[in-house]
Amino acid sequence: MFLTPPERIRAFEDKGWWTGDNVVAALHSAVGQGGDPIALVDPLNREALDGRAPERLSWNEVADRVERLAAALLARGLRKDEIVLAQLPNTVDAVLLFLACARLGLIVSPVVMQYRVHELAFISAQTKPRLFVTVPSFAGFDHAAQGRELGLDVALFGDGYGDLRAEMDEADPATVEAYVAANPTVGGEVLTICWTSGTESRPKGVPRDHNHWILNAHVVAQGTGMVPGDTLLNPFPLVNIGSIGGLVMPWLTLPARLVLHHPFDLGIFLQQIEAEKVTYTIAPPAVLTALLKQPALMEKFDLTSLRAIGSGSAPLSPWLIEGWQALGIEICNIFGSNEGASLYSSAVDVPDTTDRSRYFPRFGVEGHGWSGLNHEALRTRLVDLDSGEEIDEPGRPGELRLKGATLFGGYWQAPELTAAAFDQDGWFRTGDQFEIAGEGSLERFYRFVGRSKEIIVRGGVNISPAELDDLLAGLPGSREAATVGIPDADLGERVAVGIVPADGAELSIADVSAFLKERGVAVFKLPERLVTLDRLPRNAMNKVVRSELREAVLAQL
């Protein structure tokens, strides 16, 4: 399926930014470079997740499994351009499904394990998936039953009816080569539809092509200092650019070794670094800060193999970067999004720890040179939201806007959202406020000021307050209610709700949670703080002013 205009594909492939290849070409290249070394490693605690012993697969075994899974999907009748909705824990099966879909020209749409009927019903209505791939149950929840409740054709990585592993054993891998030869998939075709939350009340689908993912792999590897032969520890499920683009695709293209982890458990995380001799991983600032403050815990594990850690989603501090640097480990400050924003402030280009914690390179700006493809393939600018003028002087906040080969082309089946996401000159509006950091040497950098969008970032996961507000409009005992993010030392932000109660009504946080759970809302979205207000702050257009709501909530906590 081509969503990217042919002239755009041609222009970026002519520049060498896009390769025109299917991502499985990187798998075949990795196999050709040496197929026997261990390539893909399950979470250490996999048996506790889904009852299966953890696996360690070589490149040859990965390639064989991908071919067999692709054959099983063909035997089920799936064909190119059909959509596979996937809700899987972070195990080798999720990686294999991603690659099998790529092999056949299928489109995979992955979602987090926490999604329930509320979110899945919307996403399945948007994508009309040909198949829903999940596990029988996870953390005590029956995911297979949820899929059937929604009327989806369910396939399982697990024992029982619809077990894909049994179908893989019976399928003929020879059917894949013949099918692919007759139905080739090239770089300009869509591979994934990931989901992101913004100010809108529902998730937005972000289609990305094979070309996008391959370029993303090179940009990330260069920006973070990854090298061939690295061992990468991936603590995040394969549902967005942070996991797929930040670790899975570099694993393929370098090539490297990929170690999986799920759900996040600090002890197991450190144990895996030691046991697998991990060289690069990613972790939120709160985790990195907590570890530095627990030297006794750190001393229990040998972390000397670890060379670098990527972090982001919340501001970093010089203290954090310097603390890890003292241990011989460099921290890379990352600003990214599913749509293709990709700013990296790492030891590669920004050796000064203070600069690295506070600033990001102004990639693609004339007169400022940076290493790597990102500087060539991505253009950035700041725009004053009131005047529409481009900002070229320090200290004046403006919206960061992007253009280039790392960017997606538009939201899935949402032309109105796509039109709003790009300005009249085709620049993507990130909704995030930056400023030029200063004069002289600082003119090369942006400094993050704050989010223009109203999304709540809880533990690195985006939550749309508008989505929750829409549901809370029906909350019994409430005249009106609205949600907002409030600062939290551990997770970055938590969800709080301001409620104007109906006459004589009293509502608790438990009441709100029960109401939302009944509507199938994912647990991580549930409000954790509640305050009672006389009214919600609104502007002249009657929209809730979340900055004022946040102040009102914090004043009562």
Side-chain angles (χ1 to χ4, degrees):
M1 179 185 296
F2 289 93
L3 294 182
T4 302
E7 59 274 14
R8 178 179 168 88
I9 296 172
R10 189 164 49 250
F12 290 157
E13 289 184 356
D14 286 348
K15 289 179 180 293
W17 298 339
W18 288 355
T19 66
D21 292 330
N22 184 308
V23 302
V24 175
L27 171 62
H28 294 161
S29 176
V31 171
Q33 293 179 54
D36 290 329
I38 295 300
L40 185 60
V41 180
D42 252 332
L44 188 64
N45 57 326
R46 173 157 187 183
E47 194 160 2
L49 301 182
D50 66 358
R52 301 193 68 86
E55 296 190 86
R56 304 174 66 84
L57 305 180
S58 70
W59 282 111
N60 282 329
E61 289 171 324
V62 170
D64 177 68
R65 292 274 191 96
V66 167
E67 211 72 358
R68 290 182 178 279
L69 180 52
L73 295 175
L74 279 179
R76 275 181 166 263
L78 274 78
R79 294 298 182 262
K80 183 178 176 181
D81 293 338
E82 291 184 322
I83 295 173
V84 174
L85 182 61
Q87 189 174 36
L88 294 169
N90 198 18
T91 66
V92 298
D93 294 329
V95 178
L96 298 175
L97 181 66
F98 171 76
L99 292 171
C101 287
R103 177 77 164 130
L104 296 176
L106 298 169
I107 300 168
V108 60
S109 185
V111 298
V112 296
M113 295 303 294
Q114 298 96 323
Y115 274 5
R116 297 295 183 257
V117 169
H118 171 71
E119 293 90 3
L120 282 183
F122 173 78
I123 289 172
S124 61
Q126 292 291 302
T127 57
K128 297 178 174 56
R130 173 66 174 76
L131 189 67
F132 175 52
V133 180
T134 188
V135 290
S137 65
F138 184 81
F141 183 80
D142 192 333
H143 288 271
Q146 176 174 252
R148 295 187 186 106
E149 179 184 343
L150 292 170
L152 302 176
D153 184 9
V154 178
L156 302 175
F157 279 111
D159 299 329
Y161 176 77
D163 180 11
L164 279 172
R165 292 191 190 91
E167 295 174 25
M168 288 167 65
D169 291 339
E170 298 172 0
D172 180 5
T175 60
V176 176
E177 190 63 43
Y179 179 81
V180 170
N183 303 274
T185 300
V186 296
E189 296 183 69
V190 177
L191 172 55
T192 58
I193 304 171
C194 296
W195 297 88
T196 187
S197 295
T199 56
E200 296 78 19
S201 64
R202 290 291 195 162
K204 296 175 289 188
V206 181
R208 292 183 70 82
D209 304 345
H210 291 253
N211 277 332
H212 287 126
W213 286 122
I214 294 171
L215 172 62
N216 196 96
H218 295 304
V219 164
V220 171
Q222 293 170 357
T224 60
M226 294 181 194
V227 295
D230 265 345
T231 297
L232 314 176
L233 176 57
N234 180 14
F236 297 147
L238 276 68
V239 297
N240 59 24
I241 198 168
S243 178
I244 300 172
L247 288 157
V248 175
M249 286 305 303
W251 161 68
L252 281 174
T253 57
L254 284 169
R257 176 186 293 185
L258 184 65
V259 180
L260 304 173
H261 177 98
H262 192 123
F264 189 81
D265 181 290
L266 189 55
I268 295 175
F269 184 72
L270 295 173
Q271 189 177 346
Q272 285 180 293
I273 293 174
E274 177 181 35
E276 301 292 345
K277 299 190 184 313
V278 170
T279 55
Y280 176 87
T281 188
I282 52 179
V287 169
L288 299 180
T289 298
L291 282 171
L292 286 179
K293 292 181 177 181
Q294 300 179 72
L297 176 62
M298 298 269 278
E299 289 169 3
K300 293 180 180 180
F301 301 91
D302 180 2
L303 306 182
T304 54
S305 64
L306 196 56
R307 187 183 69 251
I309 303 173
S311 192
S313 78
L316 306 183
S317 69
W319 173 86
L320 185 153
I321 294 179
E322 290 164 5
W324 283 95
Q325 192 178 63
L327 301 173
I329 300 166
E330 297 288 358
I331 302 297
C332 177
N333 192 2
I334 302 172
F335 172 84
S337 72
N338 276 314
E339 289 88 349
S342 49
L343 303 183
Y344 299 89
S345 194
S346 72
V348 176
D349 271 332
V350 190
D352 183 88
T353 56
T354 299
D355 287 349
R356 200 187 318 161
S357 69
R358 297 174 178 170
Y359 309 133
F360 294 96
R362 294 175 65 195
F363 289 125
V365 175
E366 189 174 345
H368 300 291
W370 301 96
S371 64
L373 270 173
N374 208 30
H375 182 59
E376 301 174 28
L378 177 69
R379 294 165 62 195
T380 64
R381 66 191 301 201
L382 298 183
V383 173
D384 186 289
L385 288 176
D386 292 326
S387 67
E389 297 174 343
E390 182 171 359
I391 295 171
D392 57 9
E393 71 268 21
R396 181 182 170 192
E399 182 183 46
L400 178 68
R401 296 190 183 177
L402 308 171
K403 181 184 281 191
T406 66
L407 269 294
F408 82 135
Y411 294 109
W412 176 256
Q413 294 188 349
E416 70 289 350
L417 294 180
T418 299
F422 292 86
D423 67 20
Q424 67 273 17
D425 298 315
W427 291 78
F428 174 64
R429 306 171 185 264
T430 65
D432 293 285
Q433 295 276 315
F434 285 77
E435 65 184 13
I436 297 171
E439 305 281 358
S441 62
L442 293 182
E443 193 179 359
R444 305 173 66 225
F445 296 106
Y446 292 124
R447 186 183 74 84
F448 178 69
V449 175
R451 289 194 305 276
S452 300
K453 295 180 179 178
E454 298 170 342
I455 56 171
I456 301 165
V457 183
R458 183 188 185 277
V461 179
N462 288 2
I463 299 170
S464 167
E467 176 186 11
L468 297 177
D469 292 357
D470 284 354
L471 292 170
L472 291 173
L475 177 67
S478 168
R479 290 187 184 278
E480 56 180 354
T483 50
V484 69
I486 56 173
D488 181 80
D490 295 325
L491 295 172
E493 286 184 307
R494 291 185 187 270
V495 181
V497 58
I499 289 181
V500 179
D503 292 341
E506 293 185 6
L507 291 166
S508 68
I509 197 71
D511 296 328
V512 176
S513 293
F515 176 81
L516 292 174
K517 284 180 179 179
E518 288 173 0
R519 280 140 189 83
V521 173
V523 173
F524 71 86
K525 297 181 181 180
L526 299 180
E528 298 172 84
R529 303 287 187 273
L530 181 149
V531 300
T532 299
L533 303 171
D534 293 330
R535 63 178 183 82
L536 295 182
R538 296 182 181 275
N539 62 17
M541 301 300 293
N542 205 37
K543 291 186 64 176
V544 173
V545 181
R546 291 195 200 272
S547 59
E548 295 181 16
L549 176 60
R550 184 178 295 105
E551 292 177 4
V553 169
L554 291 173
Q556 293 193 38
L557 296 180

